[in-house]
Amino acid sequence: MTEEVAREALLSFVDSKCCYSSTVAGDLVIQELKRQTLCRYRLETFSESRISEWTFQPFTNHSVDGPQRGASPRLWDIKVQGPPMFQEDTRKFQVPHSSLVKECHKCHGRGRYKCSGCHGAGTVRCPSCCGAKRKAKQSRRCQLCAGSGRRRCSTCSGRGNKTCATCKGEKKLLHFIQLVIMWKNSLFEFVSEHRLNCPRELLAKAKGENLFKDENSVVYPIVDFPLRDISLASQRGIAEHSAALASRARVLQQVSQGGGAIWL
């Protein structure tokens, strides 16, 4: 790195700060430039996991894909179109032949339930006169309720009941097994030892020369890399991802890359 490049980098940093002086940065005397090579290793693993759960929705008298049409397939036998590699996503699907219809448990098959605001009466006590029909110390009747002491319930609009929010008034629910598929990226990063007083997150963003890259359904640890720490980091990263994902997900693709030869 030359002095001109270093000064341009400093001025660019100063310009990004609202209260820093570019004049001071421009006049700064650079006495010495030290450079150090850093090596960085990065492993990215794209995996797919599947879980199943019972759920329900209002039944609208459509055809029911239940057990009478056959046995439900196993979770990993269900074919779906996934997202592009290394693009995280979550999708939900109805498992074939798992549906059954039941009476709504919330309204007990009535489609409506008693309003909790008026307890089915359709009216509530007038908030102005508190049901006394007249305001305190006044002889004339309450104008808000016209002297009735009651007001129409605003919760149910005076009907005394409300449409069941669970079955949407359909009285029945369609229960089925729902498949939840999650595509996720797992990341492992390692930066070789250094004596720079620089936050690790900034070093991770530094640009440099890419020395190697391996992308496949399964990648293997690096062997005989000039810096032994990078070889050990690749072994550790692959082992960690394998242990974390082996019991709950399937690895679809991995990218192993590193080197960088970052000069600072």
Side-chain angles (χ1 to χ4, degrees), residues 16 19 25 29 63 67-68 72 88 97 110 115 131 133 144 153 172 183 200 210 216 226 232 239 242 245 251 253 255:
S16 67
C19 301
V29 177
S63 60
Q68 70 277 6
S72 295
E88 293 190 335
H97 316 323
R110 291 189 290 268
C115 175
K133 302 181 181 180
L144 187 63
C153 177
K172 295 181 180 180
W183 291 274
R200 180 170 291 272
N210 196 20
N216 213 322
L232 294 176
S242 297
L245 300 173
V251 174
Q253 195 80 351
V255 175

Side-chain angles (χ1 to χ4, degrees), residues 187-204:
L187 183 63
F188 175 90
E189 285 187 311
F190 171 80
V191 178
S192 62
E193 289 189 7
H194 57 84
R195 297 179 181 178
L196 298 171
N197 185 20
C198 183
R200 180 170 291 272
E201 59 269 19
L202 294 182
L203 291 176

